[in-house]
Amino acid sequence: MSNRCKVSVKTIFAGSAISLFTLLTLQISASHKSSRFFLNPLTQISDTTPVPIGGRFRDSITPTGPRKPADTTRRSKDTTVVTEFSLDSVKISKDSLDAPIRYAASDSGVLIIPTKQFFLYNKASTEYKDLQLDAGVIRFDQSTQVVMAYGVKDSLNPYAKATLKQGGSTSTSDTIFYNMKSQKGLTKNTFYQDENSEFFVQTERMKKLTEGGDNIVFAYRNQFTTCNLDTPHFAFRTKKMKIITNKLAVSGPAHPEFEGVPVPIYLPFGIYPMKQGRHSGILAPQFAANEEFGLGLEGLGYYKVLGEHVDVTVRTNLYSYGGWNLFITPKYTRRYRYAGGLNLSIQHTRRLNTIPSAKEEFFTGNAFNISWNHMRDGKARPGTSFSANVNAGSTQYNRNVPNNAHINFTNTLTSSVQWGKTTPRMNLSVAANHTQNNNTREVNLSLPSMTLSLLTLYPFQNKNRVGSEKWYEKLGLSYNGTLENRVSFYDSAFKFNNILDTLQWAINHNIPISLALPSLGPVNLTPTINFSERWLGRSVTYTWDPVLQKIDTVFAKGFFTPREVSTGISASTRVFGLYGFGKNSNVQAIRHEIRPSFGFSYKPDLAKKYFDSVQVDTGGGKIAYSKLQAGTFGGAFGSGKFGGITFSVDNVLEMKVKDRKGQPDSAGKYPDKKIRLIDGFGFNGGYNLAVDSFQWSQLNFYLRSTLFEKINITANAMLDPYITNDQGFVTKELAWTSRNNRGFGTVRTASIAASANFQSKKADEKKQQAPSDQYVTPDEQQRLLDYVRNNPAEFTDFNIPWTLQTSFSLSFTRLFDFNQKKWTTTTTTNISLNGDFSLSPKWKIGGQTYFDITTKKFQYLTFFVTRDMHCWQMAINIVPVGLYRSFNITLNPKSGLLRDLRINRSRFFYAQ
């Protein structure tokens, strides 16, 4: 036999099995041993460990002992021998491994039996447990359990290296030494990457070991960075470094360098968190400069994980003038059950007075704000819901928040806590609401408020009905009830007794009766009957004082029950008109749809006793008022009886065109595409037949349209058909019957608004932002939106070359000024623009403005410039006009690992 034998082996067996060298020794007889054997890498066999069968092993290699006769007539050349042997007949190697090793090579594998060494040549690959080793040459020494791997350079691959992957880390080195048993290793000239933390290290020598299940790396003479280029834009150099994979990295004294140029700034040590997910740690601050608060250190805090479902964040802002803020934000989440968070803000303000006439140099004050949000998953308890969104605090809190113009201009705080129960027969909702005006310092509380709705009952419906329903079986009866308690007070004069004096309560009952009648051809008929009653606990009376010439107000408590009954019937239909064009025209047809509706209703005057009139001036002028207007739900129902008609006409205009962008059929005909030109335009109003004057109601005209699927247009106007005299009182004379021919009436209010959103196509359609499944509470989301609003340059999308959002609004109101005895018209016109534009693939500028055309002033204006520097980003934000002006420039790495390593310069100015 030749001294070189091809052996069909692809796996080194270990553990309770025999070692590779023992197996090869058993297979080859002593008379044909040679010092070297070459493994055939092209032979494919199973790579699993031997399987015991009844105390024996079945394997593809024949063990020592008597051989069975080989049937060479039925066995091909590559057929392996399968036999059974006893485990007792095989001696277990002391240097065997506890798991199989899978290996491959494109050239050859060489086994040297005397030295117990095994070589793999050219594109060699080895897998052991969670370790994967790829190199040009891999050498395994059985006696020492050490693997050595290195790259083989040639003309096609002059930079060949060895790669070691284990536990989420990758090491690419010139040479790798690794002990398979102790799992300790040594590499030279290594490029190390932690796959979960964007952390890259270039090191001269690196030692690897495993302790307590952690992969630990010790590195010598290092260059570490978050830039993924072979020659990084920036890096930190340090002599010694320790890395615990997926946990943290610790370095000794380090200094940065940019483009290979060292910067003479030294850090005594560095701690770099690499753990993914939730973990406790210090929150780094940022520096700020404020004209009124002084120099500041903002955002300093600590994040603490209290458990699987609860964590808390504590932050503080410190200012050189003596002011400070404290934020305590616990958050709780339990998936598929509930989630929420609480934010408690305590504010101590010491602000420099910039008003020249101020007597004191500093303004000092204390305030607080508390917000709580809670949301329960609907699947946690089907039929029951609970949600909370609370935002309350001192009325002076918002105006003293530094560096946040959006919060400074927010003057209204609202809160709502709601619980609901749904059953097959009813819906019950209990809520507590809160509103707060920071300008007037008025606080309104509504607690509790309750709403009960019963599902529609059909009293005449036959449960054992056979055949179609009778018309009277469709008669439905339902109930809606609402209870509300309301308290109003000023926080500057808060007293518990005053709160009880302002307590108001009310209950509203509503019983609608419905009946679905069969349609009369194209006309649908809908009759309605409705009964409503309110229970109120307070009334108000106004009287004219002729001596002091003023109106006196008197409140009285009691039990008042205004009620209202109304009935009516309405008819509606749809009328279509179609105008066609030629077959060769791009416009195929235009369709006009008219939706008229007419109704007759009657309402008696059941609330007449709750209305009165009061003199308002020395000339004897009087106005009507409701004695229950101080109550909730709007007090009493409307005065006067109504027996008349209501009408409305709505129009829709659509166009059918050929879709040239579509795919034509076999006949070359393009598909049709519908375009809606006008979503709706029309008018509505009413005429009261039950009164002798003021029969016409005000007429409302409206228009809605979306042009080219980009531009939204809305318009409306309110027309009063009656003439108003010189004293400002409405007369009984209609405008179109007037002798002076005053047209169809007076337009009291009108408005038009248009908005559009344009953006270019994405530079890379395949590039998409990775979605995040992390739950964010509404309060956190609002804070993030505030930060994005104040720092737009840090959140630009370079994949979209340009964007533009614009809106325009024009509105006017015409009112009579009783003091000046003339009509006055108030007009409001404004335009807003928001967009950005890429000067180059790496430079982008943008801005946002709100311009009041009426006053010819910029109410808000901001610009930003941003530069994408691959692994870094520069952002400049400028607010040059307005009450709150600011300038901010930030230079920071993109990686979340070094997000607190930023160069930040901020200045804020206040115009009093």
Side-chain angles (χ1 to χ4, degrees):
M1 180 181 285
S2 173
N3 291 336
R4 295 182 178 182
C5 298
K6 293 183 179 180
V7 185
S8 301
V9 177
K10 283 282 283 189
T11 303
I12 299 178
F13 298 102
S16 60
I18 56 180
S19 68
L20 171 68
F21 300 98
T22 304
L23 290 172
L24 293 175
T25 304
L26 295 174
Q27 180 181 9
I28 305 172
S29 62
S31 60
H32 294 92
K33 282 186 179 180
S34 68
S35 60
R36 305 185 69 185
F37 292 90
F38 296 86
L39 305 182
N40 183 2
L42 301 179
T43 305
Q44 301 294 329
I45 68 171
S46 172
D47 59 354
T48 58
T49 56
V51 180
I53 304 177
R56 298 175 178 270
F57 282 81
R58 182 182 300 273
D59 199 89
S60 61
I61 303 176
T62 306
T64 57
R67 294 187 178 182
K68 294 181 180 181
D71 188 359
T72 57
T73 61
R74 297 184 179 181
R75 184 187 307 162
S76 64
K77 181 179 180 181
D78 292 335
T79 303
T80 57
V81 178
V82 180
T83 185
E84 297 182 359
F85 62 92
S86 174
L87 185 62
D88 298 335
S89 62
V90 179
K91 184 178 180 181
I92 305 300
S93 174
K94 295 181 179 180
D95 53 8
S96 63
L97 302 175
D98 59 351
I101 299 179
R102 297 174 178 84
Y103 61 90
S106 63
D107 189 337
S108 60
V110 177
L111 173 66
I112 305 177
I113 293 180
T115 59
K116 295 185 176 182
Q117 292 182 341
F118 182 53
F119 293 83
L120 294 174
Y121 292 99
N122 200 3
K123 296 182 180 179
S125 176
T126 301
E127 294 183 11
Y128 173 69
K129 293 184 178 180
D130 64 337
L131 180 145
Q132 180 178 347
L133 180 62
D134 299 303
V137 176
I138 297 179
R139 185 191 71 182
F140 176 65
D141 192 329
Q142 175 76 5
S143 60
T144 61
Q145 302 289 337
V146 174
V147 174
M148 184 183 74
Y150 54 90
V152 177
K153 301 179 181 180
D154 53 28
S155 59
L156 298 178
N157 191 6
Y159 303 103
K161 292 180 179 293
T163 302
L164 175 67
K165 296 182 180 180
Q166 185 179 27
S169 63
T170 302
S171 301
T172 303
S173 313
D174 290 345
T175 306
I176 296 177
F177 298 91
Y178 188 79
N179 191 299
M180 305 292 288
K181 200 161 190 177
S182 64
Q183 298 191 27
K184 295 181 179 180
L186 179 66
T187 64
K188 296 182 179 180
N189 296 330
T190 302
F191 180 81
Y192 174 86
Q193 176 185 359
D194 191 312
E195 299 177 354
N196 298 322
S197 64
E198 303 177 346
F199 196 74
F200 304 94
V201 180
Q202 294 182 13
T203 178
E204 183 178 316
R205 291 200 305 269
M206 187 174 72
K207 180 181 179 181
K208 181 183 179 302
L209 54 90
T210 302
E211 292 183 358
D214 294 329
N215 294 322
I216 302 176
V217 172
F218 294 92
Y220 179 71
R221 289 186 178 178
N222 313 281
Q223 181 189 50
F224 62 94
T225 180
T226 57
C227 182
N228 59 0
L229 298 180
D230 294 336
T231 303
H233 291 106
F234 81 102
F236 289 86
R237 287 196 175 271
T238 183
K239 187 175 182 180
K240 296 181 179 181
M241 193 171 192
K242 179 180 179 180
I243 304 173
I244 304 177
T245 305
N246 295 331
K247 287 190 175 181
L248 60 86
V250 181
S251 71
H255 69 276
E257 64 177 21
F258 294 89
E259 299 289 352
V261 179
V263 178
I265 300 176
Y266 285 86
L267 303 175
F269 64 91
I271 300 177
Y272 313 93
M274 302 171 64
K275 185 178 179 180
Q276 300 297 309
R278 301 164 62 244
H279 56 279
S280 303
I282 298 175
L283 302 175
Q286 67 177 11
F287 293 95
N290 191 290
E291 185 181 23
E292 292 190 340
F293 293 87
L295 299 177
L297 197 64
E298 299 179 344
L300 176 64
Y302 189 80
Y303 173 77
K304 177 64 177 177
V305 177
L306 302 178
E308 181 182 358
H309 308 290
V310 183
D311 56 44
V312 62
T313 303
V314 180
R315 287 182 179 270
T316 183
N317 298 339
L318 304 174
Y319 300 98
S320 59
Y321 289 165
W324 54 266
N325 295 328
L326 179 64
F327 308 94
I328 304 174
T329 310
K331 187 177 70 172
Y332 53 90
T333 303
R334 194 156 188 177
R335 182 164 292 186
Y336 308 121
R337 296 191 65 180
Y338 55 80
L342 177 72
N343 181 42
L344 175 62
S345 303
I346 302 175
Q347 182 186 83
H348 175 72
T349 303
R350 196 167 190 269
R351 188 180 62 194
L352 180 66
N353 276 326
T354 57
I355 303 176
S357 59
K359 297 181 180 180
E360 297 182 357
E361 183 180 5
F362 291 96
F363 167 80
T364 304
N366 296 313
F368 76 95
N369 181 270
I370 183 170
S371 61
W372 172 50
N373 56 81
H374 178 90
M375 182 175 60
R376 188 167 67 186
D377 196 315
K379 299 178 181 179
R381 298 187 66 180
T384 305
S385 63
F386 179 77
S387 63
N389 190 359
V390 177
N391 185 15
S394 304
T395 55
Q396 301 296 316
Y397 178 84
N398 281 6
R399 66 183 60 184
N400 291 323
V401 174
N403 312 337
N404 197 322
H406 177 71
I407 293 181
N408 298 144
F409 283 111
T410 301
N411 295 320
T412 304
L413 303 179
T414 60
S415 304
S416 176
V417 180
Q418 187 170 357
W419 175 87
K421 178 68 175 179
T422 301
T423 66
R425 288 295 182 183
M426 72 168 188
N427 295 325
L428 176 63
S429 175
V430 181
N433 301 297
H434 151 267
T435 59
Q436 183 174 335
N437 190 305
N438 291 340
N439 285 336
T440 62
R441 309 188 70 169
E442 182 182 4
V443 180
N444 295 312
L445 300 178
S446 176
L447 71 163
S449 61
M450 182 183 302
T451 301
L452 175 64
S453 299
L454 301 181
L455 298 185
T456 303
L457 302 177
Y458 297 93
F460 302 107
Q461 194 173 65
N462 189 359
K463 296 182 179 179
N464 301 322
R465 175 178 51 85
V466 178
S468 61
E469 283 185 318
K470 305 297 182 180
W471 66 268
Y472 56 85
E473 292 182 332
K474 298 180 181 180
L475 181 68
L477 181 69
S478 61
Y479 170 81
N480 298 315
T482 304
L483 165 68
E484 184 172 345
N485 296 276
R486 182 177 299 177
V487 175
S488 300
F489 61 92
Y490 292 93
D491 67 345
S492 58
F494 175 79
K495 290 184 179 180
F496 186 74
N497 293 333
N498 294 342
I499 293 179
L500 296 180
D501 292 338
T502 62
L503 175 64
Q504 301 180 53
W505 62 268
I507 301 177
N508 185 68
H509 307 276
N510 182 259
I511 303 177
I513 301 175
S514 61
L515 177 63
L517 295 178
S519 59
L520 301 177
V523 179
N524 297 320
L525 297 178
T526 305
T528 58
I529 301 175
N530 188 76
F531 172 79
S532 299
E533 182 174 326
R534 292 173 181 170
W535 297 348
L536 305 174
R538 192 171 75 163
S539 67
V540 61
T541 302
Y542 298 114
T543 57
W544 172 256
D545 189 342
V547 179
L548 300 178
Q549 297 184 358
K550 67 180 185 66
I551 298 176
D552 295 331
T553 305
V554 178
F555 292 99
K557 293 184 178 181
F559 183 71
F560 309 95
T561 59
R563 56 185 61 90
E564 180 183 75
V565 177
S566 63
T567 181
I569 186 171
S570 63
S572 62
T573 186
R574 301 170 67 184
V575 181
F576 298 91
L578 186 66
Y579 180 80
F581 294 84
K583 295 183 178 180
N584 298 326
S585 175
N586 288 332
V587 180
Q588 295 294 296
I590 293 179
R591 190 180 74 168
H592 180 203
E593 179 183 351
I594 305 176
R595 302 172 181 174
S597 176
F598 298 91
F600 176 82
S601 61
Y602 174 76
K603 179 185 75 72
D605 188 6
L606 302 181
K608 182 178 181 180
K609 62 179 179 180
Y610 297 110
F611 284 85
D612 201 352
S613 61
V614 60
Q615 182 179 336
V616 295
D617 55 24
T618 57
K622 294 185 177 182
I623 60 173
Y625 72 95
S626 171
K627 296 181 180 180
L628 303 179
Q629 63 183 358
T632 57
F633 305 120
F637 299 99
S639 64
K641 63 180 179 179
F642 181 86
I645 61 173
T646 59
F647 54 87
S648 66
V649 179
D650 189 27
N651 298 266
V652 177
L653 197 64
E654 294 178 319
M655 179 173 63
K656 182 185 293 186
V657 299
K658 291 182 179 180
D659 188 5
R660 297 292 182 180
K661 296 182 180 180
Q663 185 69 25
D665 56 13
S666 58
K669 183 180 179 180
Y670 287 93
D672 295 332
K673 179 181 179 182
K674 290 183 179 180
I675 299 176
R676 180 163 287 191
L677 301 177
I678 298 179
D679 298 329
F681 71 95
F683 61 92
N684 56 67
Y687 186 83
N688 191 355
L689 300 173
V691 295
D692 57 356
S693 60
F694 300 106
Q695 294 94 339
W696 287 94
S697 67
Q698 291 187 346
L699 302 178
N700 180 35
F701 297 85
Y702 60 89
L703 169 69
R704 304 185 309 273
S705 179
T706 302
L707 300 180
F708 314 110
E709 299 180 353
K710 293 290 185 181
I711 304 175
N712 299 317
I713 300 175
T714 59
N716 63 78
M718 189 69 69
L719 180 68
D720 188 353
Y722 292 97
I723 298 175
T724 305
N725 59 22
D726 296 336
Q727 286 74 34
F729 296 99
V730 180
T731 65
K732 299 179 182 181
E733 186 178 6
L734 290 169
W736 56 74
T737 61
S738 173
R739 297 178 181 178
N740 297 329
N741 191 14
R742 299 188 180 184
F744 291 97
T746 304
V747 178
R748 299 296 188 189
T749 61
S751 66
I752 182 172
S755 62
N757 187 356
F758 306 96
Q759 73 174 32
S760 64
K761 293 183 178 180
K762 294 183 178 180
D764 185 2
E765 295 290 344
K766 298 181 180 179
K767 185 177 180 182
Q768 296 182 355
Q769 185 176 4
S772 175
D773 59 351
Q774 183 180 4
Y775 172 77
V776 179
T777 63
D779 187 63
E780 290 177 321
Q781 185 179 23
Q782 184 60 47
R783 288 198 296 270
L784 179 60
L785 291 175
D786 292 340
Y787 185 82
V788 173
R789 189 181 293 107
N790 294 327
N791 303 273
E794 298 183 30
F795 299 91
T796 55
D797 188 354
F798 283 89
N799 195 34
I800 301 178
W802 62 268
T803 61
L804 176 63
Q805 298 91 34
T806 179
S807 64
F808 169 81
S809 65
L810 169 64
S811 64
F812 79 89
T813 303
R814 185 170 174 81
L815 299 174
F816 187 85
D817 191 337
F818 287 94
N819 294 326
Q820 300 182 11
K821 302 297 181 181
K822 67 177 183 177
W823 288 94
T824 59
T825 302
T826 303
T827 304
T828 303
T829 310
N830 59 73
I831 185 172
S832 66
L833 297 172
N834 183 15
D836 55 65
F837 177 78
S838 296
L839 297 175
S840 70
K842 301 297 182 181
W843 279 97
K844 185 181 282 286
I845 63 174
Q848 180 180 358
T849 182
Y850 179 86
F851 182 74
D852 192 335
I853 301 177
T854 305
T855 60
K856 299 180 180 181
K857 292 182 179 180
F858 284 98
Q859 301 296 330
Y860 184 75
L861 178 63
T862 178
F863 296 101
F864 71 83
V865 180
T866 182
R867 172 71 162 90
D868 184 5
M869 298 184 290
H870 183 257
C871 50
W872 280 64
Q873 179 173 331
M874 182 189 70
I876 301 175
N877 299 282
I878 304 173
V879 181
V881 299
L883 180 62
Y884 302 93
R885 295 170 287 118
S886 64
F887 170 82
N888 171 268
I889 180 171
T890 303
L891 185 65
N892 63 286
K894 290 183 179 179
S895 172
L897 182 66
L898 301 176
R899 62 185 176 184
D900 295 322
L901 181 65
R902 62 169 57 194
I903 301 174
N904 181 66
R905 175 63 172 168
S906 300
R907 294 294 301 272
F908 296 88
F909 307 92
Y910 291 81
Q912 298 290 344

